[in-house]
């Protein structure tokens, strides 16, 4: 039962709707359109206030397995994606990066449970498959859809090569990794 605001009491029957009617009244597509429209109107207001407009795109982060799996729906409202590889890796593995790297991960690497640190070099067989699925479904909706990758993987030469081979448009990483990333991107 639906509760009224702050009181914890049931809302009056006249205001309650069956779940199917609620879902029909607020479909995801309308929410996505409304969100995009709010962003466009906000940008327009800033441009008018500053008396200057600049070109821009509206994008979204893909940081969870669900976002990767439903990328086709997200692509309806975004001009580009940026894959947050740190968070996507943590959520795919179900591991906290901070906890893993300071405890059991070293043992896992030594005993070859993991061949490489998944937080340093992109796991092409797990996380990579999710990224591939997101790219394919987004580009099925819009040819040439831009997909980038941000996070520590964006500074790892092996991951950068993988990104290039899988059609990722750009990578970004922490400042100390930029020189290595630029070299790896040039070589890819």
């Amino acid at each position: 039962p639906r509760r009224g605001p702050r009181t914890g009491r049931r809302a009056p029957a006249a205001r309650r709707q069956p779940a199917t009617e609620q879902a029909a009244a607020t479909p995801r597509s309308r929410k996505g359109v409304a969100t995009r429209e709010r962003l466009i109107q906000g940008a327009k207001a800033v441009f008018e206030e500053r008396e200057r407009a600049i070109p821009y795109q509206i994008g979204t982060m893909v940081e969870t397995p669900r976002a990767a799996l439903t990328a086709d729906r997200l692509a309806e409202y975004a001009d580009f994606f940026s894959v947050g590889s740190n968070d996507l890796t943590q959520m795919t593995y179900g591991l906290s990066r901070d906890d893993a790297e300071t405890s059991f991960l070293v043992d896992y690497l030594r005993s070859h449970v993991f061949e490489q640190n998944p937080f340093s070099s992109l796991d092409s067989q797990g996380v990579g498959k999710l990224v591939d699925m997101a790219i394919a479904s987004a580009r099925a909706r819009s040819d040439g859809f831009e997909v980038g990758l941000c996070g520590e993987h964006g500074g790892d030469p092996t991951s950068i090569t993988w990104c290039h081979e899988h059609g990722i448009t750009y990578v970004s990483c922490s400042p100390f990794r930029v020189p290595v990333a630029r070299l790896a991107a040039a070589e890819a």
Side-chain angles (χ1 to χ4, degrees):
R2 200 171 138 229
R3 304 286 176 196
R6 294 193 194 125
T7 64
R9 294 188 311 234
R10 286 176 62 116
R15 289 191 359 221
R16 280 184 269 136
Q17 297 175 333
T20 55
E21 288 180 30
Q22 287 175 340
T26 57
R28 284 188 185 271
S29 60
R30 284 200 355 230
K31 287 181 184 178
V33 169
T35 299
R36 184 175 174 89
E37 187 58 34
R38 274 196 312 271
L39 293 170
I40 291 169
Q41 291 306 316
K44 184 177 176 183
V46 169
F47 295 158
E48 288 173 0
E49 177 185 311
R50 302 284 173 111
E51 297 178 351
R52 182 170 181 233
I54 58 170
Y56 69 96
Q57 293 181 311
I58 296 172
T60 191
M61 295 290 295
V62 174
E63 298 178 294
T64 65
R66 187 176 196 288
L69 294 169
T70 60
D72 59 332
R73 296 191 67 185
L74 295 173
E76 291 180 50
Y77 313 106
D79 301 316
F80 69 94
F81 290 157
S82 188
V83 175
S85 63
N86 297 341
D87 288 341
L88 185 58
T89 297
Q90 288 185 97
M91 295 189 118
T92 300
Y93 276 85
L95 299 174
S96 161
R97 177 180 170 186
D98 294 336
D99 293 340
E101 289 187 324
T102 60
S103 62
F104 61 87
L105 185 57
V106 173
D107 292 332
Y108 280 18
L109 292 167
R110 266 193 219 126
S111 61
H112 300 284
V113 172
F114 291 159
E115 293 301 317
Q116 61 190 12
N117 180 340
F119 301 112
S120 297
S121 195
L122 190 74
D123 163 32
S124 62
Q125 295 178 358
V127 176
K129 283 186 180 179
L130 288 170
V131 174
D132 281 339
M133 290 168 59
I135 292 169
S137 63
R139 290 189 177 149
R141 282 211 175 267
S142 174
D143 192 35
F145 192 88
E146 286 192 28
V147 178
L149 182 130
C150 64
E152 292 308 303
H153 299 108
D156 170 58
T158 303
S159 300
I160 291 169
T161 299
W162 184 92
C163 289
H164 177 72
E165 291 169 352
H166 291 257
I168 291 184
T169 314
Y170 65 89
V171 297
S172 65
C173 60
S174 58
F176 79 90
R177 291 182 146 228
V178 169
V180 171
R182 293 180 90 176
L183 179 61
E187 290 175 349

